[in-house]
């Protein structure tokens, strides 16, 4: 009986099957996507993290006697706390200072130092010569290798000798340079090597060259006189699962108390625990943010299913009433309805896990390596969603089993002008909840909150905020359906057109018949426009972040004293302007600030300052920087606007603030910064050698210029295009885009399916009415015009309401959910971008699709003759 009863309504059965299959498949796909994005994002973040970020460093002062004890202690603590995570353990040490040849008696001699680095021969490229070998304490000549930068600074090559004198003991040491090398990843600029090894020379109170790298045995025998030693542990985090991030961070942090128990003077330093904790939070925020489109889709799917179920229940109302009058009890009728719902839902539960990956491949726009959860997990989600859909399908039918035949007959009339939820004020309650949730989202910055146990968890109210806002906004819009339809009816009643008069009267007399598809279409359109707005805003924000971090199309950091490079950079392909920039750290108001000294005359065409970050245009700011005065003209970030003195080195200068910016291009987020004219700095006797060159390229196309720069080890290139690709390729930051794409496609499918079913059922229930109209002489054109008037009212109200609702929700929600890959606020602040041309194309496509459906229904009704319909006794 269940099967025969279901097959008696093939249209509604197919609609219910399609809705449940779409809901289960989409939600399983979104679960797979959320898991894949977070796993892939965490994996990429750990694989690409710089060595210095992953390293754990222990530093202390050692002698030859206590070095073995401390070395064993540190290695044991690292092994115990790193567990099964692979780790590369190395040690290094740096000696006291030695005077360079001929500098022994100078008041401020030039210096060098000896050093040893475990594993340097495996992490560096030997350019010439060979690595030094062990030399005993009695050996007169010490073999040493030097870095490429040190060899250039000291004018040394492999085979050269030099004699240095100890600053503390006056002991002379003869050194044989055996080789020249280039530091690799571990001891390179991004590794754990000391600054002297990377740069080759340090200019502070004394100028220090080197270091002279000797073997470990030689260093212990001849240079370990209470010197500084370091141990570096660099773990391989590629295989660390996301679930272990928090616990592993705690385990790494526990190394410090373990080491300091037996070595009180040891100093532990590492940003790894903080990085892992932040990464764990970023993964949680990314996953929770992707729940936003999931919940929107859940609400839409639930309503679409409820609408289909209500149509099915209304269509079978008299049948159920007759069954009840002939002895069918409520329990048996409810079981019948439940069995029919399960007949639709269970096949979808089985099919969804197999269809979800294929759907994900078609709709996912991000480069994410799919790593689906276990098959059992996918089937569990699919079954739960399918059972929930079955409940939604069965509820209206179960509720109708309590009506008698007389009650059912009496209820078939004009109907209420408002639904039960509207009469109960549910939309107002939802508005309050949505407002509270969105306020919390904007206040906390992410749908994550602290749990009672001190950890982090997902706040369900914040996550549900946008979905609640869309639902309550659509329901509030339904309150306008009745007065607007009544107003349209009065207007069309004065005309002579039959179709417009009958169509508007039909909507005005039965507004609840049209409220279901209106709300469904409104929410679907709102979700579509909101998805477009979020995607466009995210892409714009990535571009803004890249421009702000780069500061210019190209930024090339060079060693001090690179004045002669300007002519080289000007000849690069596509270059339109080049400006020298001096970057250093100064003090202002007792806090460190980044000082940028630039050629103000050229900076106006090079610096990428977003206009809203400053109340004064960039051209005016750079012009003011060049104005002479007793105080140094500067542009500062907002927090420094009230300060009037800057300390550069040991020199305090009065400043005149000629402009402020919310953030300074070319600096990291949240960094206080000061911009001054380079010529003005030099006039004030402040050293202003160029440390960077900012370059502008035609049409921001940096590819040819970067290729022409080559790979000079002295240059560090910040490329705007590469930075933009890097930010856009972060799965944790970009993951929301794929979820929005999938949710957007599913929302449109639900809307089209719901509209088609509702329009078809409504037209079928009114076959007798249409047959009578045709018998009275109504033409096909008038028939289709009648349907177009009725459905156009729904379509126009839904499209306009959906766009308006999406605009309001986007303005308050989108800036709060667009975050960095580290789940932090974006710098510069997010600007909402709604792509109106794309929205217009979307609205036009939806309108055309719906009108095609209406035209198809009209033709179907016209083909059926009035005689058969009038004799069938339908719609009595």
């Amino acid at each position: 009986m269940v099967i025969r009863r279901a097959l008696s309504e093939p249209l509604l059965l197919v609609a219910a099957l399609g809705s449940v299959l779409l809901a289960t498949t989409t939600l399983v796909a979104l679960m797979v996507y959320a898991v894949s994005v977070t796993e892939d994002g965490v994996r990429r973040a750990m694989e690409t993290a710089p060595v210095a970020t992953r390293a754990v460093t222990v530093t202390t002062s050692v002698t030859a006697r206590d070095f073995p004890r401390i070395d064993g202690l540190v290695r044991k603590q690292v092994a115990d706390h790193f567990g099964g995570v692979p780790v590369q353990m190395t040690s290094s040490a740096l000696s006291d200072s030695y005077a360079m040849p001929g500098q022994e008696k100078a008041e401020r001699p030039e210096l060098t130092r000896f050093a040893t680095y475990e594993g340097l021969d495996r992490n560096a490229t030997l350019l010439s010569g060979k690595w030094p070998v062990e030399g005993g304490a009695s050996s007169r000549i010490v073999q040493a290798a030097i870095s490429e930068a040190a060899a250039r600074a000291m004018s040394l090559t492999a085979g050269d000798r030099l004699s240095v004198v100890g600053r503390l003991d006056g002991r002379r040491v003869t050194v044989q340079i055996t080789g020249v090398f280039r530091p690799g990843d571990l001891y390179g600029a991004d590794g754990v090597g000391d600054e002297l090894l990377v740069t080759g020379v340090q200019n502070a109170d004394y100028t220090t060259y080197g270091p002279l790298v000797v073997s470990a045995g030689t260093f212990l025998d001849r240079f370990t006189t209470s010197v500084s030693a370091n141990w570096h542990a660099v773990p391989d985090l590629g295989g660390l699962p996301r679930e272990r991030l928090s616990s592993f961070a705690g385990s790494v942090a526990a190394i410090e108390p373990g080491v300091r128990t037996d070595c009180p003077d040891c100093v532990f330093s590492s940003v790894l625990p903080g990085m892992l904790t932040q990464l764990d939070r970023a993964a949680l925020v990314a996953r929770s943010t992707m729940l936003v489109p999931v919940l929107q889709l859940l609400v839409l799917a639930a309503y679409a299913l409820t609408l289909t179920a209500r149509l099915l229940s209304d269509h079978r109302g008299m049948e159920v009433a007759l069954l009840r009058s002939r002895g069918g009890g409520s329990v048996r009728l409810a079981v019948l309805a439940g069995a029919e719902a399960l007949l639709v839902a269970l096949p979808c539960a089985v099919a969804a896990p197999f269809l979800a990956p294929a759907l994900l491949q078609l709709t996912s726009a991000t480069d994410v390596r799919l790593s689906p959860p276990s098959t059992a997990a996918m089937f569990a989600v699919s079954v739960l969603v399918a059972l929930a859909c079955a409940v939604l399908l069965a509820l209206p039918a179960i509720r109708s089993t309590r009506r008698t035949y007389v009650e059912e007959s009496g209820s078939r009339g004009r109907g209420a002008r408002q639904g039960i939820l509207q009469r109960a004020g549910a939309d107002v309650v939802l508005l309050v909840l949505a407002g509270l949730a969105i306020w919390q989202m904007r206040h906390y910055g992410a749908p994550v909150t602290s749990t009672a146990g001190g950890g982090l968890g997902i706040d369900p109210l914040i996550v549900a905020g946008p979905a609640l806002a869309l639902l309550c906004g659509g329901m509030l819009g339904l309150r306008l359906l009745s007065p607007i339809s009544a107003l349209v009816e009065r207007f069309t009643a004065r005309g002579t057109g039959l179709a417009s008069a009958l169509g508007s009267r039909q909507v005005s007399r039965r507004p609840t018949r049209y409220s279901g598809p209106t709300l469904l279409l409104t929410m679907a359109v709102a979700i579509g426009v909101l998805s477009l707005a979020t995607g466009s805003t995210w892409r714009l924000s990535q571009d803004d972040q890249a421009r702000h971090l780069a500061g210019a199309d190209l930024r090339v950091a060079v060693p001090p004293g690179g004045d002669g490079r300007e002519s080289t950079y000007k000849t690069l392909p596509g270059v339109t302007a080049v400006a020298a920039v001096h970057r250093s750290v100064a003090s202002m108001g007792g806090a460190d600030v980044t000082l940028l000294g630039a050629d103000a005359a050229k900076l106006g065409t090079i610096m990428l300052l977003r206009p809203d970050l400053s109340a004064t245009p960039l051209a005016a700011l750079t012009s003011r920087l060049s104005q002479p005065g007793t105080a140094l003209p500067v542009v500062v970030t907002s927090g420094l606007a009230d300060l009037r003195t800057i300390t550069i080195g040991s020199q305090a200068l009065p400043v005149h603030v000629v402009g402020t910016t919310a953030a300074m291009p070319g600096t990291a987020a949240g960094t206080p910064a000061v911009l001054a004219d380079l010529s003005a700095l030099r006039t004030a006797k402040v050293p202003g050698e160029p440390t960077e060159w900012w370059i502008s390229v035609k049409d921001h196309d940096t590819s040819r210029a970067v290729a022409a720069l080559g790979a000079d080890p002295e240059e560090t290139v910040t490329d705007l295009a590469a930075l933009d690709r890097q930010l856009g390729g972060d799965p944790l930051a970009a993951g929301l885009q794929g979820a929005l794409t999938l949710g957007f496609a599913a929302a449109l499918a639900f809307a089209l399916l719901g509209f088609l079913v509702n329009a078809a059922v409504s037209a079928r229930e009114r076959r007798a009415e249409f047959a009578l109209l045709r018998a009275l002489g109504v033409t096909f054109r008038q028939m289709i015009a009648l349907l177009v008037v009725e459905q156009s009212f729904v379509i126009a109200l839904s499209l306009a309401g959906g766009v308006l609702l999406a605009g309001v929700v986007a303005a308050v929600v989108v800036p709060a959910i667009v975050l960095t890959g580290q789940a932090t606020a974006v710098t510069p602040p997010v600007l909402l971008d709604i792509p109106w041309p794309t929205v217009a194309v979307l609205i036009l496509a939806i309108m055309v699709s719906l009108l095609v459906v209406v035209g198809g229904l009209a033709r179907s009704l016209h083909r059926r003759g009035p005689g058969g319909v009038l004799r069938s006794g339908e719609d009595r």
Side-chain angles (χ1 to χ4, degrees):
M1 181 178 179
V2 170
I3 295 176
R4 291 184 63 185
R5 189 165 182 256
L7 293 177
S8 66
E9 296 292 343
L11 175 63
L12 292 175
L13 178 67
V14 170
L17 182 67
S19 298
V20 175
L21 183 61
L22 182 60
T24 52
T25 302
T26 305
L27 290 172
V28 171
L30 284 171
M31 182 201 71
V32 172
Y33 182 76
V35 171
S36 299
V37 163
T38 51
E39 293 292 342
D40 192 28
V42 167
R43 185 188 306 112
R44 290 192 194 184
M46 292 191 295
E47 288 175 351
T48 59
V51 174
T53 302
R54 292 182 284 129
V56 173
T57 301
V58 177
T59 304
T60 190
S61 179
V62 298
T63 63
R65 184 180 61 182
D66 57 14
F67 179 82
R69 178 183 65 84
I70 299 176
D71 182 70
L73 169 67
V74 173
R75 293 178 187 273
K76 182 178 184 304
Q77 289 293 326
V78 168
D80 291 345
H81 289 89
F82 273 51
V85 177
V87 59
Q88 182 179 4
M89 189 75 189
T90 60
S91 62
S92 62
L94 199 62
S95 75
D96 296 320
S97 298
Y98 285 75
M100 291 286 288
Q103 298 284 318
E104 300 95 313
K105 297 181 181 181
E107 181 179 353
R108 300 179 68 85
E110 295 179 340
L111 306 175
T112 188
R113 303 175 81 175
F114 290 91
T116 182
Y117 299 93
E118 180 185 355
L120 179 64
D121 55 344
R122 300 189 303 271
N123 292 282
T125 302
L126 190 64
L127 302 179
S128 62
K130 61 182 180 179
W131 293 106
V133 297
E134 300 285 351
S138 60
S139 177
R140 292 188 304 106
I141 300 177
V142 173
Q143 293 189 9
I146 57 174
S147 67
E148 181 183 19
R152 184 165 46 249
M154 300 168 72
S155 300
L156 293 174
T157 60
D160 290 348
R161 289 189 180 184
L162 69 158
S163 180
V164 297
V165 178
R167 290 275 291 166
L168 297 181
D169 57 13
R171 182 164 54 95
R172 182 174 296 274
V173 178
T174 302
V175 183
Q176 172 82 43
I177 303 299
T178 63
V180 178
F181 63 89
R182 180 180 298 157
D185 292 339
L186 184 61
Y187 290 109
D190 297 327
V192 295
D194 59 70
E195 183 181 351
L196 183 59
L197 178 67
V198 176
T199 61
V201 59
Q202 284 181 331
N203 295 299
D205 293 338
Y206 290 84
T207 299
T208 304
Y209 297 93
L212 303 173
V213 181
V214 299
S215 64
T218 301
F219 190 91
L220 288 174
D221 289 340
R222 307 190 61 160
F223 303 105
T224 315
T225 55
S226 190
V227 297
S228 175
N230 299 280
W231 286 263
H232 310 290
V234 182
D236 181 3
L237 302 175
L240 188 68
R242 190 197 66 81
E243 293 76 15
R244 286 193 58 194
L245 291 179
S246 181
S247 61
F248 187 67
S251 181
V252 172
I255 295 175
E256 180 177 14
V259 170
R260 290 179 63 85
T261 300
D262 295 321
C263 180
D265 294 331
C266 287
V267 177
F268 173 91
S269 63
S270 177
V271 297
L272 180 59
M275 186 271 280
L276 293 175
T277 302
Q278 179 65 26
L279 189 58
D280 186 41
R281 182 180 186 273
L284 181 62
V285 170
R287 187 168 291 185
S288 62
T289 305
M290 281 184 282
L291 285 177
V292 171
V294 170
L295 291 180
Q296 293 175 359
L297 189 62
L298 272 175
V299 171
L300 186 66
Y303 189 77
L305 282 168
T306 301
L307 180 61
T308 302
R310 193 188 70 187
L311 290 173
L312 184 61
S313 176
D314 291 346
H315 190 70
R316 287 178 171 169
M318 294 303 296
E319 174 189 328
V320 173
L322 284 173
L323 289 174
R324 182 177 174 84
S325 67
R326 295 186 180 184
S330 298
V331 174
R332 295 191 65 182
L333 291 175
V335 170
L336 187 64
E340 188 175 7
L342 289 175
L343 181 67
V344 173
L346 290 181
C348 299
V350 175
F354 299 100
L355 297 176
L359 177 64
L360 198 55
Q361 292 286 357
L362 290 175
T363 57
S364 178
T366 56
D367 181 22
V368 175
R369 289 179 285 181
L370 294 181
S371 53
S374 64
T375 303
M378 288 196 292
F379 271 101
V381 172
S382 180
V383 169
L384 287 176
V385 174
L387 289 178
C389 292
V391 170
L392 290 174
L393 283 173
L395 276 179
I398 293 174
R399 190 167 56 245
S400 68
T401 59
R402 296 194 297 269
R403 289 182 179 179
T404 64
Y405 183 82
V406 175
E407 290 173 339
E408 181 66 30
S409 299
S411 67
R412 291 178 173 264
R414 185 166 171 169
R417 300 191 68 83
Q418 286 186 337
I420 186 172
L421 293 179
Q422 287 179 297
R423 295 197 299 272
D427 47 0
V428 179
V429 175
L430 285 175
L431 179 63
V432 174
L433 290 176
L436 177 61
I438 292 174
W439 175 82
Q440 285 186 307
M441 176 180 287
R442 293 181 65 86
H443 178 72
Y444 293 112
V448 172
T449 186
S450 298
T451 62
L456 291 176
I458 297 175
D459 190 321
L461 180 61
I462 297 179
V463 172
L468 292 176
L470 292 178
L471 179 59
C472 75
M475 293 180 66
L476 287 172
L478 289 183
R479 290 180 176 269
L480 301 176
L481 182 61
S482 182
I484 292 178
S485 61
L487 182 64
V488 172
E489 181 187 8
R490 291 196 197 98
F491 178 77
T492 55
R494 299 173 184 174
T496 58
L498 175 65
S500 58
L502 287 179
S504 59
R505 179 167 176 77
Q506 177 69 22
V507 177
S508 176
R509 291 181 69 248
R510 298 177 180 176
T512 54
R513 178 191 291 271
Y514 300 93
S515 63
T518 300
L519 179 57
L520 182 64
L521 272 177
T522 300
M523 290 183 60
V525 171
I527 290 174
V529 176
L530 187 61
S531 299
L532 292 176
T534 305
S536 181
T537 301
W538 181 85
R539 288 187 292 272
L540 177 64
S541 179
Q542 303 311 300
D543 184 58
D544 286 343
Q545 291 177 64
R547 291 165 68 90
H548 178 78
L549 288 173
D553 294 334
L554 280 177
R555 178 158 52 89
V556 185
V558 297
D563 286 337
R565 296 173 182 259
E566 182 174 5
S567 57
T568 301
Y569 296 144
K570 281 183 175 180
T571 60
L572 294 175
V575 169
T576 57
V578 177
V581 177
H582 172 77
R583 182 188 296 264
S584 61
V585 177
S587 178
M588 207 168 181
D592 288 344
V593 299
T594 297
L595 173 64
L596 297 177
D599 187 345
K602 298 178 181 178
L603 203 59
T605 59
I606 296 177
M607 177 178 276
L608 301 175
L609 176 67
R610 203 172 72 180
D612 67 300
L613 294 181
S614 176
T616 307
L618 179 60
L621 289 177
T622 55
S623 174
R624 294 175 185 177
L625 287 176
S626 305
Q627 296 175 357
T630 57
L632 178 67
V634 295
V635 176
V636 299
T637 49
S638 302
L640 307 174
D642 297 331
L643 301 177
R644 294 295 177 263
T645 305
I646 186 170
T647 302
I648 306 172
S650 58
Q651 184 178 1
L653 295 176
V655 296
H656 171 51
V657 177
V658 298
T660 61
T661 64
M664 188 69 69
T667 63
T671 302
V674 178
L675 176 65
D677 182 51
L678 189 57
S679 299
L681 285 177
R682 290 170 175 170
T683 301
K685 308 301 182 183
V686 175
E689 291 184 327
T691 59
E692 296 178 356
W693 291 91
W694 290 25
I695 303 172
S696 175
V697 183
K698 184 179 179 181
D699 299 328
H700 306 294
D701 182 8
T702 61
S703 56
R704 293 187 301 153
V706 170
L709 276 172
D712 188 338
E714 290 190 341
E715 296 177 335
T716 302
V717 180
T718 302
D719 177 12
L720 173 62
L723 196 57
D724 204 2
R725 289 192 299 270
Q726 177 186 344
L727 291 173
D730 184 354
L732 292 181
L736 182 60
Q737 306 311 300
L740 288 171
T741 302
L742 186 56
F744 172 45
L748 293 184
F750 272 120
L752 292 174
L753 182 61
F755 180 84
L756 172 62
V757 172
N758 185 82
V761 171
S762 176
R764 188 174 64 178
E765 289 178 347
R766 295 165 59 198
R767 282 177 183 170
E769 175 185 334
F770 288 127
L772 283 173
L773 290 175
R774 187 179 176 192
L776 292 173
V778 175
T779 64
F780 172 69
R781 290 186 177 180
Q782 291 175 316
M783 186 79 72
I784 195 172
L786 171 61
L787 282 173
V788 167
V789 168
E790 290 181 17
Q791 300 301 332
S792 294
F793 184 85
V794 174
I795 295 171
L797 190 62
S798 301
L799 296 182
V803 172
L804 179 61
L805 179 59
V808 173
V809 175
V812 295
V813 170
V814 172
I817 63 176
V818 175
L819 304 171
T820 67
Q822 292 74 41
T824 56
V826 171
T827 301
V830 177
L831 295 179
L832 178 65
D833 181 49
I834 300 178
W836 292 113
T838 307
V839 170
V841 172
L842 170 67
I843 298 303
L844 181 62
I846 294 175
M847 185 183 300
V848 170
S849 301
L850 297 180
L851 290 178
V852 168
V853 171
V854 174
L857 288 175
R859 180 167 295 277
S860 175
L861 289 171
H862 182 73
R863 286 177 178 174
R864 188 162 184 178
V869 175
L870 294 175
R871 286 194 301 270
S872 65
E874 290 186 8
D875 211 19
R876 289 183 180 176

